[in-house]
Amino acid sequence: MLNGKREANACPPHITGLKKPLGVIGGMESLATAKFLQALAQKSGGETDREHVPFIALSLPNISDRSHAISIASDAPLRQILERAQWLEKVGCGAIAIPCNTAHFWSSDIANALTINFISMVEVTRDFIHQHNGTDIDNLRTIVLGMEANIQRKLYGHSAAGWGGGAVPDVDSIQQDATRVIDDVKSGNISRARFKMALLVARTRSLKPDAIILGCSELSSASRDIFKGTDVIDPVDVLVDACILWFRNS
């Protein structure tokens, strides 16, 4: 229902069931979208198909480059994301999720444009870290790996605060290594990306941070599950858990 009436193109209840499906805006790193959907199926915990989280995924990769848009103060990606989000809303989805970190630069604009829930990957990740560490992320020694735009805009907080206000040691060199992993994933060289990712995580762990945040979906795609631990946080994985919780409580 939108404004009290059903849209002509909305899915009828006998198709979607009593619970509305999750809407997934993909295509902003297609491999990360696939990983998100695979994890959603694996972690739903349903014994039958009918117990899994229903979703409608719209993966149209022709969205403008988010990092470039942020650097030139363009809102072109936002307009394209909103077109997709509002379409998913009209066809009957009950919440929207986007398995892309950089897209969350516009998270407040996306949430404000919808009449349904927007499950923010950044917010649920920050909440997850707070719950598991007993303190706010800004009080921890964190290292966020990802695109320069995500680091500069501090989507996951001000990591330098936890390091006594000073610069994180070796952070520039580490981010260069992270960029190389991202480039390999984008070019489809997943084997090389995973090899470099193992070295990157080992090097970052040597600095003994409280948390390493994979702040780019390409890094999530390259990480598999072998790097996970209490110190390595994959926001895509946290988003999956949040979406399952939303569905169960809806």
Side-chain angles (χ1 to χ4, degrees):
M1 294 285 185
L2 292 176
N3 299 322
K5 61 181 180 180
R6 188 182 308 283
E7 293 289 321
N9 60 347
C11 290
H14 72 274
I15 293 179
T16 60
L18 295 177
K19 291 188 175 183
K20 292 186 176 184
L22 174 71
V24 181
I25 302 178
M28 290 171 279
E29 215 291 288
S30 295
L31 188 59
T33 304
K35 176 181 177 178
F36 172 84
L37 296 177
Q38 180 181 24
L40 188 67
Q42 291 174 332
K43 301 179 75 172
S44 289
E47 295 183 1
T48 66
D49 290 340
R50 294 174 62 86
E51 295 177 277
H52 281 259
V53 177
F55 64 85
I56 299 175
L58 185 59
S59 185
L60 301 174
N62 59 334
I63 296 179
S64 302
D65 184 274
R66 277 71 61 200
S67 295
H68 178 68
I70 292 171
S71 68
I72 63 173
S74 168
D75 65 351
L78 172 62
R79 296 195 302 270
Q80 295 165 317
I81 291 169
L82 288 181
E83 288 175 347
R84 290 154 173 77
Q86 290 168 343
W87 183 87
L88 289 167
E89 181 179 35
K90 287 179 181 179
V91 298
C93 293
I96 299 294
I98 306 177
C100 170
N101 288 271
T102 314
H104 286 74
F105 173 77
W106 297 281
S107 59
S108 59
D109 297 291
I110 297 169
N112 291 335
L114 299 172
T115 61
I116 59 177
N117 292 333
F118 173 56
I119 306 175
S120 167
M121 181 159 63
V122 172
E123 288 185 11
V124 298
T125 298
R126 290 176 66 98
D127 289 345
F128 174 86
I129 293 173
H130 187 282
Q131 291 170 8
H132 285 75
N133 290 276
T135 185
D136 186 75
I137 188 173
D138 291 331
N139 296 322
L140 297 172
R141 290 160 50 95
T142 60
I143 295 179
V144 182
L145 304 175
M147 300 294 289
E148 184 178 357
N150 293 353
I151 308 302
Q152 291 181 343
R153 300 293 174 173
K154 297 181 174 60
L155 288 182
Y156 291 103
H158 185 57
S159 62
W163 297 84
V168 182
D170 295 333
V171 66
D172 291 338
S173 178
I174 287 174
Q175 294 301 346
Q176 289 174 8
D177 288 346
T179 299
R180 295 185 183 99
V181 175
I182 293 168
D183 290 342
D184 282 339
V185 173
K186 287 183 179 294
S187 66
N189 199 330
I190 305 302
S191 296
R192 185 167 65 185
R194 286 175 174 169
F195 174 76
K196 291 181 179 178
M197 188 70 188
L199 298 177
L200 173 63
V201 171
R203 182 182 178 192
T204 308
R205 276 177 166 159
S206 70
L207 301 177
K208 302 187 183 305
D210 297 313
I212 302 169
I213 303 172
L214 306 185
C216 181
S217 58
E218 281 86 356
L219 298 179
S220 298
S221 299
S223 71
R224 295 179 288 183
D225 292 328
I226 62 174
F227 308 120
K228 289 183 181 176
T230 57
D231 62 333
V232 179
I233 311 298
D234 184 351
V236 173
D237 201 52
V238 176
L239 178 62
V240 168
D241 291 337
C243 289
I244 293 172
L245 181 62
W246 162 79
F247 177 70
R248 288 175 178 167
N249 291 337
S250 64

